[in-house]
Every structure is written in C-alpha cells, then in structure tokens.
Amino acid sequence: DQALKESGLTRKQLLDDVYRIQHFLNVREAPGNMIARRPTPRWRRRDERAPEFKNTVTYGPRETIALLAARQPGYYATARRIFEQLAQRDPVRAPRSMLDFGSGLGTAVWASHATWPSLTRFLCVEPSTAMVAMAQQLLTDTHRGAPA
C-alpha cells in the first residue's frame, strides 16, 4: 500500500497495469510466441540456438508495482519450495554466497536466505533501476520489521 501511495497511482490504474503485465508475461511465455529458429550448422552446439522472443517489457515504476502485486507471492513461494527441497536433499550444504542474475525484486535472495541463514554474501544483477529501487525499499522495510 505504501508503494501504491508513493507512486500516485489509483487502484484502477494499478489493476490495469497488473492486467497488462500478466497478459504480456503469459503471451511472452507461450511457446507459439517464439521466433522460428534459423537453421544452424551441425557443428554448433545445441544450446547456442536459444529462442528469441518477439516482445520485451521495460520495467519502470508502474510496471514494477504491477509485477509486485501480480506475481511476487507466486515467485516467492516457488523459489522457497525449490530451495527447501534442495536443503532436504543435501542437509549438510550451507552456502555462504549467491549470484542472482536478473534478480528483479530480490525474491530468490529472500527465499534462499530463509532456507539457508548461512548466506551472507549476495551479488544481484538487475538492469531495471525501478526494480532495484523497489527491491532496496522492500529490503529496508523488512529489516525494520514491516511486512514485505
């Protein structure tokens, strides 16, 4: 709610943005939206032919808030479950550092740290300045005891 107040958005604008982000992500993640792969010589490795997507989204402040409202709880639950399963399979492992490439709002950092308190060093790479600002605000609020 605080982020919504600070952004100056109305609830209707937020819901419209959430719908737009949800629609974009659902369409982008659909296999039919991938550009056809160009034939590559047989000598090239298979993983060099990654699919390319027709659309991209730039996460500004409005898109970041919409993503937070629309997808963040699901992303956290999924990451937390994955990390918990890894911890169960190898209970001796206690990682000390983590690289999160495309970290968005830092969801994987929160989920991993909840699973492994031994994590003390994080390197998060995120190109969107709006995402980085929101992640820093969420992290600061969390350390103050506010729900995040």
Side-chain angles (χ1 to χ4, degrees):
D1 278 342
Q2 181 179 350
L4 182 61
K5 289 176 188 174
E6 289 176 7
S7 71
L9 294 174
T10 65
R11 288 197 185 274
K12 182 181 180 338
Q13 288 172 319
L14 174 62
L15 292 175
D16 289 344
D17 288 347
V18 165
Y19 174 78
R20 186 170 51 87
I21 290 292
Q22 286 281 53
H23 177 72
F24 172 80
L25 292 173
N26 290 338
V27 169
R28 189 186 86 183
E29 292 168 1
N33 197 36
M34 287 187 241
I35 295 174
R37 296 176 178 164
R38 284 175 266 151
T40 57
R42 289 183 181 261
W43 55 267
R44 282 183 126 178
R45 291 185 5 212
R46 187 173 192 85
D47 61 351
E48 290 179 348
R49 296 182 291 155
E52 298 176 26
F53 294 100
K54 294 178 182 176
N55 301 319
T56 60
V57 65
T58 302
Y59 287 97
R62 286 182 66 164
E63 292 81 9
T64 299
I65 292 170
L67 184 75
L68 176 65
R71 297 262 176 134
Q72 194 67 10
Y75 286 166
Y76 178 82
T78 302
R80 182 69 193 268
R81 182 172 179 157
I82 290 168
F83 292 138
E84 289 292 332
Q85 288 180 0
L86 288 170
Q88 287 175 0
R89 291 179 184 173
D90 188 1
V92 177
R93 180 176 297 271
R96 295 185 312 251
S97 63
M98 177 181 172
L99 168 64
D100 186 3
F101 191 81
S103 59
L105 296 170
T107 311
V109 170
W110 302 343
S112 64
H113 193 263
T115 304
W116 294 292
S118 60
L119 281 168
T120 56
R121 293 179 47 207
F122 299 92
L123 176 59
C124 299
V125 179
E126 175 56 48
S128 168
T129 56
M131 288 275 201
V132 170
M134 180 63 74
Q136 289 173 337
Q137 180 181 349
L138 291 170
L139 182 61
T140 302
D141 290 347
T142 302
H143 282 296
R144 282 190 208 135

